[in-house]
Amino acid sequence: MNDELNDLLEKHGLKKTGPRVKVLSVLKLRDTAASQPELEEIIGKEIDRVTLYRVLTAFEEKGIIHKVLDMNGTAKYAVCDSSCTDKQHKDEHVHFNCTLCLNVYCMDTLHIPQLVIPAGFTSQVVNMMVYGICDKCNLKLKG
Amino acid sequence: MNDELNDLLEKHGLKKTGPRVKVLSVLKLRDTAASQPELEEIIGKEIDRVTLYRVLTAFEEKGIIHKVLDMNGTAKYAVCDSSCTDKQHKDEHVHFNCTLCLNVYCMDTLHIPQLVIPAGFTSQVVNMMVYGICDKCNLKLKG
DNA sequence: TTATTTATGCAACAAAGTTGCATTTAATTA
DNA sequence: TAATTAAATGCAACTTTGTTGCATAAATAA
């Protein structure tokens, strides 16, 4: 696993530092996107708050992770599909934000429908977020 | 115009207060969504910061306006279609966030495509945001 | 192994949003 | 119309998320 992380960092031209390897390993293991405050809680004070923000920003710029805003406007990050680069993010999938547990899921299989936008406007990126109850919370409610 | 605003407040069971009429009149005249900080700048210190937040929250709960998050995670508000109520928001249209002027437009004519979401998940609201260059900024760039 | 570039940690700051409480105002009722 | 009451406002203080500047430390290159 550590080799994989090192390769990923190297491939994107990032130095292999403690904080970067740690953050990347945490994100890789999750099935939901994580915010800086969440990572801070998971990792603890071994990594500085500001470093977390900078690591996340660096990863995003290099196309290792992508950013999604949750329903509160908090930035959450998830590991990108391996085809992402610093030139182009291929995160054009739908995201799901659970209104109970607040988790954000990448719906990798759901890709965003094409839109015809009005003349005069130019589209760069399209974002689609479904708010609702996730599978785990639904189980808790019904079960 | 003032009659119209009063009617709107009354219809939704809200007292007609100075701050509410003022905020509603400002929002009605705009073609882009406004955040609390923007409203604060437009209106000035005649209305308290906290009151602005509370007025916006009240309007949203009653279905007079709807909330959209811009690319920075800041909440922006726009007047709803008249068919909105506190029970159901009919703001299922696409929003456009200009990456230059940061304005958020309601694309009232573009409605959000239907999605089939995975089993186990329950959808409540769907949000679709297009990021790009708006018509006015495109004119400035090309003209 | 040293030099150089880059990343980290710390402190301080900034913006957006929230909470508690006293005061004022709008609507109600007498 | 005046008194009552419920709700809205203003103010102060606070919280959370995110940013900036700068000195120190660590990773790669020479």
Side-chain angles (χ1 to χ4, degrees):
Chain A
M1 161 108 181
N2 233 298
D3 283 352
E4 192 191 334
L5 300 181
N6 286 342
D7 285 358
L8 199 52
L9 290 174
E10 193 163 10
K11 196 176 79 179
H12 291 91
L14 289 172
K15 287 186 184 173
K16 299 155 209 159
T17 67
R20 287 180 179 167
V21 173
K22 181 68 187 174
V23 170
L24 194 49
S25 71
V26 170
L27 288 178
K28 273 262 177 191
L29 287 172
R30 290 173 61 94
D31 66 328
T32 56
S35 63
Q36 177 278 324
E38 285 168 325
L39 290 170
E40 196 179 357
E41 194 172 45
I42 295 166
I43 296 174
K45 54 193 168 188
E46 125 196 16
I47 301 178
D48 188 75
R49 244 167 55 75
V50 178
T51 301
L52 275 177
Y53 278 111
R54 290 198 267 230
V55 165
L56 291 170
T57 304
F59 285 0
E60 198 203 0
E61 280 169 357
K62 297 297 182 179
I64 299 178
I65 62 179
H66 62 272
K67 176 161 80 172
V68 206
L69 295 176
D70 74 2
M71 53 190 299
N72 301 313
T74 306
K76 296 196 166 199
Y77 296 88
V79 176
C80 279
D81 192 79
S82 59
S83 63
C84 283
T85 66
D86 56 343
K87 306 292 174 203
Q88 196 187 12
H89 274 285
K90 293 234 192 299
D91 66 326
E92 297 270 321
H93 53 264
V94 174
H95 290 95
F96 186 95
N97 195 167
C98 180
T99 51
L100 293 181
C101 65
L102 301 186
N103 276 329
V104 171
Y105 299 77
C106 292
M107 302 299 219
D108 295 289
T109 55
L110 286 188
H111 74 94
I112 298 179
Q114 204 66 27
L115 274 183
V116 180
I117 62 165
F121 290 78
T122 314
S123 167
Q124 291 165 338
V125 182
V126 182
N127 215 291
M128 195 163 184
M129 179 71 89
V130 180
Y131 299 100
I133 317 283
C134 74
D135 51 354
K136 282 163 198 154
C137 286
N138 263 329
L139 276 179
K140 281 182 201 155
L141 288 175
K142 291 168 189 167
Chain B
M1 162 113 180
N2 233 298
D3 283 353
E4 192 191 334
L5 300 181
N6 285 343
D7 284 358
L8 199 52
L9 290 174
E10 194 163 11
K11 196 176 79 180
H12 291 90
L14 289 171
K15 285 186 184 176
K16 300 157 211 159
T17 67
R20 288 181 178 164
V21 173
K22 180 68 187 174
V23 170
L24 194 49
S25 71
V26 170
L27 288 177
K28 273 262 177 189
L29 286 174
R30 291 174 60 93
D31 65 331
T32 56
S35 63
Q36 176 279 326
E38 285 168 325
L39 289 170
E40 195 179 357
E41 195 172 46
I42 295 166
I43 297 174
K45 54 194 171 188
E46 127 196 14
I47 302 177
D48 188 74
R49 244 167 55 76
V50 179
T51 302
L52 275 177
Y53 279 111
R54 291 199 268 232
V55 165
L56 292 170
T57 303
F59 284 0
E60 198 203 359
E61 281 169 357
K62 297 296 182 179
I64 299 178
I65 62 179
H66 62 273
K67 175 161 79 173
V68 206
L69 296 176
D70 74 3
M71 54 189 300
N72 300 315
T74 306
K76 295 197 166 198
Y77 297 88
V79 176
C80 280
D81 190 79
S82 59
S83 63
C84 283
T85 66
D86 55 343
K87 306 293 176 207
Q88 196 188 11
H89 275 283
K90 293 235 194 298
D91 65 327
E92 299 269 323
H93 54 264
V94 175
H95 290 96
F96 186 95
N97 195 169
C98 180
T99 52
L100 293 182
C101 66
L102 301 184
N103 276 329
V104 171
Y105 299 78
C106 292
M107 301 298 218
D108 295 289
T109 56
L110 286 189
H111 75 95
I112 298 178
Q114 204 67 26
L115 274 183
V116 180
I117 63 167
F121 290 77
T122 315
S123 167
Q124 290 166 338
V125 182
V126 181
N127 216 289
M128 195 162 186
M129 180 70 88
V130 180
Y131 299 101
I133 317 283
C134 74
D135 52 354
K136 281 164 198 154
C137 288
N138 263 328
L139 275 180
K140 281 183 203 156
L141 288 176
K142 292 166 188 167

